[in-house]
């Protein structure tokens, strides 16, 4: 996995746009999330998001698909 995962550290806004914008999918399986900023950043850039139904994430998704219970395989 280490060869396929890049952990870049701090990114400028331009670098963040390029990194998130080139993603195919954001898989966000957090059991606790305060607000869900990474989810919002991905959604605003048109990236498909699949996330857990914890904390504020269901509020971000509203009626859109992609917010799923972690207990449901």
């Amino acid at each position: 996995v280490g060869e396929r995962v890049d952990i870049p550290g701090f990114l400028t806004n331009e670098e963040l746009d390029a990194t998130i914008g080139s993603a195919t999918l954001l898989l966000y399986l957090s059991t606790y999330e305060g607000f869900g900023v990474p989810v919002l950043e991905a959604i605003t850039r048109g990236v498909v998001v699949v996330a857990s139904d914890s904390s504020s994430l269901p509020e971000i998704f509203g009626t859109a698909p992609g917010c799923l219970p972690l207990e449901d395989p």
Side-chain angles (χ1 to χ4, degrees):
V1 173
E3 298 162 358
R4 297 180 301 201
V5 175
D6 182 24
I7 303 173
F10 177 81
L11 298 173
T12 65
N13 286 334
E14 293 80 19
E15 293 168 330
L16 183 64
D17 284 340
T19 301
I20 294 176
S22 67
T24 303
L25 170 79
L26 173 65
L27 183 60
Y28 201 76
L29 303 178
S30 176
T31 56
Y32 174 78
E33 177 58 39
F35 183 68
V37 172
V39 171
L40 287 174
E41 289 176 329
I43 290 171
T44 60
R45 289 170 175 86
V47 176
V48 174
V49 176
V50 175
S52 60
D53 65 348
S54 63
S55 300
S56 65
L57 296 175
E59 295 174 37
I60 293 171
F61 277 85
T63 60
C67 194
L68 308 168
L70 289 178
E71 302 81 32
D72 184 7

